[in-house]
Each structure stands twice: as C-alpha cells, then as structure tokens.
Amino acid sequence: MKASTKAIRFLESLEIPEGPRAGQRVKLAPFQKKFVKGALAPETSVAALSIGRGNAKTALSAGLALGSLLGKWDNQPRREILIAARTRDQARIGYEFAAGFARSLPDDIQKQLTFRRSPRLEIEFEGDGGGHVIRAIAADGKTALGSAPTLVLMDERGHWPLDQGDALEHALLSGLGKRGGRALIISTSAADDAHPFSVWLDQCQPGVYRQEHRPSPGLPADDAQSLLLANPGAKHGIGASLEWLQAQARRAIARGGSTLTSFRLYNRNERVSGETRDLLLTVDEWLNCETSELPPREGQVVIGIDLGGSASMTSAAFFWPET
C-alpha cells in the first residue's frame, strides 16, 4: 500500500479536536488529499503548499506529524519529527493540534505517548522500539543544529525572519539528508517573488512537489472565484465560508490601506507585503493609477530612476511637467 494511502486512511481515522466540528471524524478535502499524495510520493523529498489562512494548514501538518511518529507509513527506528515555526508560540499551535488528535487514538496507543511542555514541547512514543519523538521548535533559536529528523514540517515558512529562517531551513534540510527524510513547507504566500518560500514554489526542481493556491494579481478583493481558488476549503466546510470571506473583503475595501493589504496577503494568498510602515502606496492604490488613455507628452521630461538590488527590479518614472 502506498505511503499516501496509509496517511490518508490514518488522518481520516482521527477526530477533530476543536472548533465547530469538534468530535467529528476528519474528512480530507480534495486539495488536502492531493497534497498528501504529492508530498509522500516516493520521489519527493520536499513538498511546498501555499494556501490562504484558515484552510487547516497547521492541522494537516500536525496530523501528518502524529502519523509519522506512530510509524503509519515510515518504519525507521527512533523517528524524529520536527514542527518548525516562526516562534515558539506558533510552534505550540501545531504541537497542541497533534496532542488533540492523539486523544482520538486507541487507549493502548495513548498509554505509550508521553507529552512534555517544559523545557521543550515534545510528544514521545514508546511503542515500535521506542525513542520516537515529535519536537516543536522556533525559527528564532538554534534547536535544529545536530538533529537528524525523518520528517520536518515548516509552518508559515513565508513569514519567518529572513536570516534566522534561512539558517534554520538549511540546518533542517541538511539534517534530513542523514535519514533520507522529507520536508513539508506549508504557508500562506510570502511578500514577494524573491523570498525563499516563493522560490520553492516557482522553481521546478527534482524531488520537489509544489502546490500553490494563488489567484492572478490585480483582481477585486471580493472576487468570488479567486477567493475560492485561494481558499479551497470553503467549499468543504473547512475554515471560513465564501460569504464570510466576501464580507471581510468588502470591509477591507472600505477601510483600504493596511487592512486591505493584509486581506490580500493572508486571505487571498497574494504576494503583497504586509509591512505598512512608511508605505507610500498600497497595491490597490497603485492599481487605481492605471488608465487606458495616456495624457500628451509635451515639453521637457523628468525621469526618475529607482535602481533595484540583486533580487528586485529597477523602475523608471517619466514626468512631463507641462502636460
């Protein structure tokens, strides 16, 4: 039986630990099954998923972490699973989901699990030879150095601090090489194309599975089809409904500024910066500058040049003061 088939069967045997559907069995949506199949394919070593906020990214990660801990599709001895996030508090969310899912396991399995919250967030499994552990770590620490994980889950990789995030990612990937492990990188979009998470999604590389739910740029924030593209869980009762998303979009449009930018980044999964300090124009304000009829170009012209760095683009603005 394929690893992905075993994983899907295990995930759908769990009970949802919190929220309005708490106590019900997990029912994976098609986009989740697609990711599990791609991520656990024999040829895959790194799988990247980009999707809007609220589509059960962390829950899916936590379920896969728990299944890997129990050896449902990986029978390596002394399995080590790392849940890496931007901060310890963010990593705790994945840890708590895994602990919540564990409460729906058979009693004999639960008795073999030990939960630790201090000094580190860990879940240890004593069965199958013992020594198997899930560990939650933060991108602002150095807790990955020297580790040899069999599975790494990078939660919200698009929003890790650049220097510390890159250092942690490199340490995790080098550790995976010792065990032939896999890395699952799951996040909403990063702010731009140059971010390492965007590079994972944009570049075709051997052994890398990519799945991105991102609409075309420049569409109205409340456009229904593009909202569903960024939030495929809305059709299957996962996260917010389309009606809620559209209501939030219209509220963001009315308020504009950073509210609209944040909605585009997190809920529409667009590659726009969430940084609002010293912001001259938002994406929507810039798009409103477009016109189909250009004014005449007469008299002297002033040309302004913005020289980009190694990863950004150079831009030029032409201004005719007379016209």
Side-chain angles (χ1 to χ4, degrees):
M1 186 183 297
K2 293 180 179 179
S4 59
T5 303
K6 295 178 181 178
I8 291 170
R9 182 173 296 180
F10 170 75
L11 290 169
E12 295 195 327
S13 73
L14 301 173
E15 294 180 0
I16 300 170
E18 60 184 59
R21 299 171 62 191
Q24 299 180 27
R25 292 282 184 185
V26 170
K27 177 66 175 176
L28 295 181
F31 76 93
Q32 293 172 314
K33 291 182 179 180
K34 180 181 178 182
F35 179 72
V36 172
K37 291 176 181 177
L40 298 184
E43 67 277 9
T44 299
S45 58
V46 175
L49 171 65
S50 175
I51 196 168
R53 173 181 284 177
N55 283 270
K57 298 185 300 298
T58 304
L60 180 63
S61 299
L64 289 169
L66 183 61
S68 183
L69 175 73
L70 301 178
K72 293 298 181 179
W73 56 86
D74 182 0
N75 57 5
Q76 288 192 58
R78 301 185 66 82
R79 295 177 292 276
E80 183 181 7
I81 298 92
L82 298 181
I83 300 176
R86 177 172 182 166
T87 64
R88 190 176 189 274
D89 286 341
Q90 182 68 35
R92 178 188 291 274
I93 297 173
Y95 170 89
E96 295 294 351
F97 260 114
F101 282 136
R103 290 195 291 270
S104 61
L105 296 172
D107 290 342
D108 60 324
I109 299 296
Q110 290 193 50
K111 291 178 181 178
Q112 299 177 73
L113 294 172
T114 301
F115 300 88
R116 302 187 186 96
R117 289 175 169 79
S118 180
R120 294 188 295 188
L121 297 168
E122 294 181 342
I123 302 175
E124 184 175 354
F125 178 50
E126 299 172 0
D128 194 19
H132 315 293
V133 64
I134 291 175
R135 184 172 295 119
I137 63 175
D140 55 7
K142 298 181 179 180
T143 47
L145 297 177
S147 63
T150 51
L151 179 68
V152 165
L153 305 168
M154 303 186 203
D155 190 31
E156 290 295 358
R157 175 65 181 95
H159 307 284
W160 291 7
L162 274 179
D163 291 343
Q164 294 172 327
D166 288 351
L168 177 59
E169 180 183 292
H170 297 155
L172 293 172
L173 294 179
S174 63
L176 284 170
K178 306 173 188 177
R179 305 282 298 270
R182 301 173 190 265
L184 308 185
I185 310 175
I186 303 178
S187 179
T188 51
S189 281
D192 54 58
D193 296 340
H195 192 281
F197 180 59
S198 300
V199 174
W200 278 115
L201 293 165
D202 294 345
Q203 292 186 358
C204 182
Q205 305 173 66
V208 177
Y209 172 76
R210 302 170 295 160
Q211 184 173 325
E212 186 175 24
H213 298 265
R214 178 167 62 98
S216 300
L219 295 172
D222 60 348
D223 177 70
Q225 291 303 313
S226 55
L227 278 171
L228 288 174
L229 177 61
N231 300 273
K235 289 184 177 180
H236 306 280
I238 298 173
S241 66
L242 176 60
E243 292 75 17
W244 185 90
L245 288 166
Q246 285 188 305
Q248 292 297 111
R250 289 161 187 157
R251 188 175 295 114
I253 292 171
R255 296 186 64 180
S258 61
T259 302
L260 183 52
T261 301
S262 295
F263 183 85
R264 285 192 176 277
L265 175 61
Y266 295 113
N267 297 99
R268 290 184 56 82
N269 202 35
E270 297 184 29
R271 291 184 187 175
V272 296
S273 176
E275 179 60 69
T276 57
R277 289 175 297 178
D278 300 323
L279 188 65
L280 179 63
L281 289 174
T282 66
V283 173
D284 291 270
E285 289 168 341
W286 173 259
L287 292 173
N288 285 335
C289 294
E290 292 187 354
T291 178
S292 58
E293 297 181 6
L294 296 175
R297 307 176 185 183
E298 298 174 358
Q300 293 184 328
V301 60
V302 180
I303 305 176
I305 303 291
D306 178 16
L307 295 176
S310 60
S312 60
M313 294 182 292
T314 295
S315 63
F318 295 75
F319 177 54
W320 284 264
E322 293 182 13
T323 58

